[in-house]
């Protein structure tokens, strides 16, 4: 009787569970039994492993073979267990020393010819292995860069099972041809991308970043966009078609600071599991941007699918921007599913096959027309929608969802003079992003020693007791709260926006003008004089009618 064991990882959402792969050989009729709650693709590994072992020059044991995957209660799927199963079988057959396999973590799919093919989710799998105390992992050669992102882990990349057998048996390692060096396409890379998704979905395309200087006019919307990036506040654009709502939202990711090392690992892990990580890009450094169509289903937005749930758009936009255009055309039930992720920063999806927790700390941007035809309230007029139709159209954005949106901007059509003067004195994305970075640094210094990093994360109780605004600054907000124009959650969010405006202006704490401006953005009620974000001098007007930016002002 022969016995050997090694380890692999089962992915449950974006988290990994260490699985012990055990192989047992007993005298009897030759058979191969796989137990441990495998799915269809894992059951098929019996044929892949058998062919790969034989074509790698090793002898397949003609005995009763049982391979167990423990813990048996955890659902297991995918082809990433092939390499561990093959080595466990060879250890039980004494082709390999079983002692050499015990502390190894193996991840990879096997082709019938013995080549090791890459699989999705290598980064979260290696992270799970490191957390469990493993220090050596074997992965396909194409995913070595991704696995090496985990500190304290020794990574061995192999092209074939034959190479791995030679390394473990201390024999000369055979050379294997590399299709990339010969100029041929590598078909094995297809396993890294989910069919039906574009490469890099949800990630910025290349090094191109849409420039804010391309947007004509829209000075109040530009300032609100800057505040949204500086404090990570959710934002809603309402205006007629062609006013620039989508252009503004597309430029929001460029204003966000680069991801921290921890955030980069989290975002990369999600996209690796989802199959949207571009080949050759092992680590995501820039905030993702995901813009699903307004016909998106519940499963595609928050995660789901058959069997174990898969990450949805809110997870693909983790630490980045989720833009929902034509929000009033979306299913109200689907939109309301965003309410819980906006508060908690994660999604918990329960299915019959299991429960999964996925990260979803996003900056939400919504855009919608004022009415079905889009011309209600415009200077040109021409709206033929009935009042009842307009009410039903606007009611598709529920009150509880909008109560979680800090900034609400009316985007007006661009005037001819502003369109002709495009590019004259208009600030670029780089200039605004620098102010956003400075404001974030001020907030981070204020929150040092706390679990928060941006103003939008701070609980309302802390803002009201620990960090005080200027005396009398909350007078108008308190009156709005008493008359029902503002909810308790709304008051907390007004305070957060006011603190962000103060950070952008370089002030130690919000003034009355900062709070009133935040109230205007939330309620749409004019509050009179406003303070520019950088200067401190007053400007008569409202948030929807502001003077053009001056250099150094948001």
């Amino acid at each position: 009787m022969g016995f050997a064991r090694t380890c692999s990882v089962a992915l449950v959402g974006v988290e990994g569970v260490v699985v012990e792969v055990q192989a047992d050989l007993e005298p009897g009729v030759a058979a191969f039994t796989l137990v441990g709650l495998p799915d269809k693709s894992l059951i098929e590994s019996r044929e892949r492993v058998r062919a790969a072992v034989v074509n790698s020059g090793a002898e397949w044991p003609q005995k009763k073979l049982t391979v167990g995957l423990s813990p048996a209660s955890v659902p297991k799927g995918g082809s990433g267990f092939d390499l561990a199963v093959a080595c466990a079988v060879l250890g039980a057959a004494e082709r390999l020393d079983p002692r050499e396999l015990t502390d190894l973590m193996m991840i990879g799919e096997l082709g019938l010819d013995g080549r090791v093919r890459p699989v999705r989710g290598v980064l979260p799998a290696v992270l799970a292995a490191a957390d469990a105390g493993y220090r050596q992992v074997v992965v396909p050669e194409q995913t070595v860069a991704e696995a090496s992102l985990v500190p304290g882990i020794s990574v061995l990349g192999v092209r074939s099972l034959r190479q791995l057998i030679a390394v473990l048996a201390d024999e000369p390692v055979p050379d294997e041809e590399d299709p990339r060096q010969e100029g041929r396409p590598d078909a094995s890379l297809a396993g890294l991308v989910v069919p039906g998704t574009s490469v890099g979905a949800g990630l910025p395309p290349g090094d191109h970043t849409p420039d804010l200087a391309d947007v004509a006019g829209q000075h109040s919307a530009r300032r609100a966009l800057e505040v949204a990036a500086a404090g990570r506040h959710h934002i809603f654009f309402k205006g007629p078609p062609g006013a620039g709502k989508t252009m503004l939202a597309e430029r929001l990711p460029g204003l966000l600071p680069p991801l921290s090392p921890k955030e980069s690992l989290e975002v990369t892990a999600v996209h690796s599991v989802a199959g949207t990580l571009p080949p050759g890009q092992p680590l995501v450094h820039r905030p993702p941007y995901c813009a699903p169509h307004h016909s998106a289903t519940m499963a595609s937005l928050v995660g789901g699918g058959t069997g174990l749930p898969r990450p949805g758009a809110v997870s693909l936009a983790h630490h980045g921007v989720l833009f929902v255009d034509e929000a009033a055309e979306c299913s109200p039930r689907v939109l309301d599913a965003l309410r819980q992720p906006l508060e908690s920063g994660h999604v918990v999806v329960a299915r019959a096959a299991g429960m999964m927790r996925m990260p979803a700390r996003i900056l939400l941007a919504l855009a919608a027309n004022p009415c079905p035809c889009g011309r209600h309230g415009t200077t040109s007029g021409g709206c033929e929608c009935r009042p009842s139709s307009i009410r039903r159209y606007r009611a598709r954005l529920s009150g509880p969802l909008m109560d979680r949106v800090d900034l609400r901007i009316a985007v007006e059509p661009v005037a001819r003079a502003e369109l002709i003067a495009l590019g004259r004195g208009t600030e670029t994305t780089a200039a605004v992003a620098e102010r956003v970075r400075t404001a974030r640094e001020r907030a981070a210094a204020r929150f040092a020693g706390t679990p928060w990093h941006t103003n939008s994360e701070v609980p309302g109780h802390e803002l009201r007791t620990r960090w005080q605004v200027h005396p009398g600054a909350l007078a108008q907000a308190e009156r709005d709260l008493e008359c029902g124009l503002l909810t308790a959650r709304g008051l907390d969010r007004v305070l957060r926006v006011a603190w962000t405006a103060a950070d952008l202006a370089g002030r130690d704490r919000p003034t009355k003008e900062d709070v009133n401006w935040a109230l205007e953005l939330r309620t749409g009620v004019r509050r009179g004089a406003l303070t520019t974000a950088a200067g401190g001098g007053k400007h008569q007007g409202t948030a929807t009618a502001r003077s053009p930016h001056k250099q150094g002002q948001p």
Side-chain angles (χ1 to χ4, degrees):
M1 181 181 73
F3 177 82
R5 66 181 178 213
T6 187
C7 290
S8 190
V9 177
L11 290 177
V12 182
V14 295
E15 298 178 354
V17 178
V18 174
V19 173
E20 188 177 61
V21 180
Q22 304 170 340
D24 177 72
L25 281 175
E26 296 180 356
V29 179
F32 187 174
T33 304
L34 184 64
V35 298
L37 206 58
D39 70 350
K40 177 67 174 177
S41 60
L42 186 50
I43 291 177
E44 293 175 348
S45 68
R46 295 179 300 183
E47 310 305 326
R48 292 193 300 269
V49 169
R50 191 198 313 269
V53 168
V54 173
N55 291 327
S56 297
E59 182 180 354
W60 184 261
Q62 297 299 319
K63 296 181 180 180
K64 181 181 179 181
L65 171 62
T66 303
V67 173
L69 307 175
S70 299
S73 58
V74 176
K76 305 167 190 71
S79 56
F81 294 90
D82 290 2
L83 197 59
V85 170
C87 288
V89 171
L90 293 174
E94 299 183 350
R95 174 64 178 87
L96 296 175
D97 187 352
R99 294 172 297 180
E100 297 290 332
L101 305 176
T102 304
D103 297 328
L104 279 181
M105 178 68 63
M106 301 186 184
I107 305 165
E109 176 186 334
L110 286 175
L112 299 183
D113 56 356
R115 287 185 300 168
V116 180
R117 302 170 63 91
V119 294
R120 301 188 301 274
V122 167
L123 177 57
V126 177
L127 284 171
D131 292 340
Y134 290 86
R135 293 295 175 260
Q136 291 182 313
V137 297
V138 181
V139 298
E141 187 182 50
Q142 296 92 331
T143 58
V144 168
E146 184 179 344
S148 300
L149 295 173
V150 182
I153 292 290
S154 175
V155 181
L156 172 63
V158 294
R159 295 183 189 173
S160 67
L161 178 61
R162 183 165 48 248
Q163 282 188 339
L164 181 57
I165 293 174
V167 171
L168 296 177
D170 198 17
E171 300 172 354
V173 180
D175 292 331
E176 298 286 353
E177 64 177 5
D178 187 354
R180 295 170 296 180
Q181 294 181 352
E182 300 178 3
R184 294 185 287 119
D186 189 356
S188 64
L189 294 177
L192 297 176
V193 181
V194 175
T197 63
S198 60
V199 176
L203 298 177
D207 296 328
H208 173 69
T209 301
D211 202 323
L212 198 58
D214 299 336
V215 180
Q218 306 300 353
H219 307 295
S220 60
R222 289 167 62 96
R223 184 192 177 191
L225 204 68
E226 182 176 344
V227 172
R232 209 173 62 79
H233 302 288
H234 308 307
I235 189 169
F236 171 58
F237 299 104
K238 183 178 74 172
K245 303 185 296 294
T246 302
M247 284 188 67
L248 289 163
E250 288 176 345
R251 281 143 183 82
L252 183 54
L255 303 180
L256 300 178
L259 299 176
S260 66
K262 180 181 178 182
E263 292 171 343
S264 293
L265 286 177
E266 293 177 3
V267 173
T268 303
V270 173
H271 286 269
S272 177
V273 171
T276 57
L277 190 65
Q281 183 178 334
L283 187 64
V284 179
H285 296 281
R286 298 164 58 191
Y289 172 77
C290 194
H293 192 260
H294 63 261
S295 63
T297 62
M298 181 82 73
S300 66
L301 191 63
V302 301
T306 58
L308 283 175
R310 296 182 52 80
V314 291
S315 296
L316 294 177
H318 182 53
H319 287 311
V321 177
L322 175 67
F323 176 49
V324 182
D325 201 1
E326 303 295 345
E329 300 291 345
C330 296
S331 166
R333 179 171 170 268
V334 172
L335 275 182
D336 282 342
L338 295 175
R339 287 154 52 181
Q340 182 256 343
L342 293 181
E343 291 291 327
S344 63
H346 62 266
V347 175
V348 178
V349 181
R351 295 290 186 270
M355 183 177 294
M356 181 176 65
R357 182 181 186 273
M358 296 173 287
R361 189 163 296 280
I362 61 172
L363 196 168
L364 177 65
L366 300 171
N369 295 327
C371 68
C373 74
R375 295 189 296 272
H376 179 75
T378 59
T379 55
S380 59
C383 176
E384 299 178 354
C385 302
R386 293 190 296 179
S388 58
S389 299
I390 297 176
R391 286 195 299 270
R392 284 195 301 269
Y393 186 79
R394 295 179 177 178
R396 295 176 71 87
L397 299 176
S398 68
L401 174 64
M402 296 305 298
D403 198 39
R404 291 166 169 81
V405 178
D406 303 341
L407 310 175
R408 306 173 188 180
I409 307 300
V411 182
E412 302 294 339
V414 182
R416 182 179 63 86
E418 292 177 321
L419 193 60
I420 294 175
L422 178 62
R424 300 177 188 173
T426 305
E427 284 189 305
T428 63
T429 292
V432 179
E434 179 62 24
R435 287 203 301 273
V436 169
R437 183 189 63 79
T438 303
R440 288 250 183 148
E441 290 175 352
R442 290 180 62 88
R446 183 168 62 251
F447 301 139
T450 71
W452 314 300
H453 300 88
T454 59
N455 291 315
S456 64
E457 302 173 23
V458 184
H461 174 74
E462 297 289 339
L463 283 178
R464 293 190 299 270
T465 58
R466 189 170 177 179
W467 290 286
Q468 298 276 333
V469 300
H470 271 285
L474 289 177
Q476 184 61 55
E478 292 170 353
R479 287 194 293 270
D480 287 354
L481 184 63
E482 290 176 359
C483 68
L485 190 60
L486 200 64
T487 63
R489 180 194 286 125
L491 177 61
D492 292 343
R493 293 185 176 273
V494 165
L495 281 174
R496 294 168 183 169
V497 174
W499 270 104
T500 302
D503 288 336
L504 285 167
R507 290 189 284 271
D508 293 333
R509 53 180 175 169
T511 62
K512 179 180 179 180
E513 288 75 15
D514 293 326
V515 176
N516 287 348
W517 181 75
L519 278 170
E520 282 195 13
L521 291 179
R522 184 164 189 86
T523 64
V525 179
R526 298 185 179 184
R527 306 294 170 177
L530 296 177
T531 302
T532 58
K538 292 185 177 180
H539 166 73
Q540 295 295 329
T542 68
T544 57
R546 292 185 55 82
S547 60
H549 283 289
K550 297 180 181 179
Q551 187 63 29
Q553 297 179 348

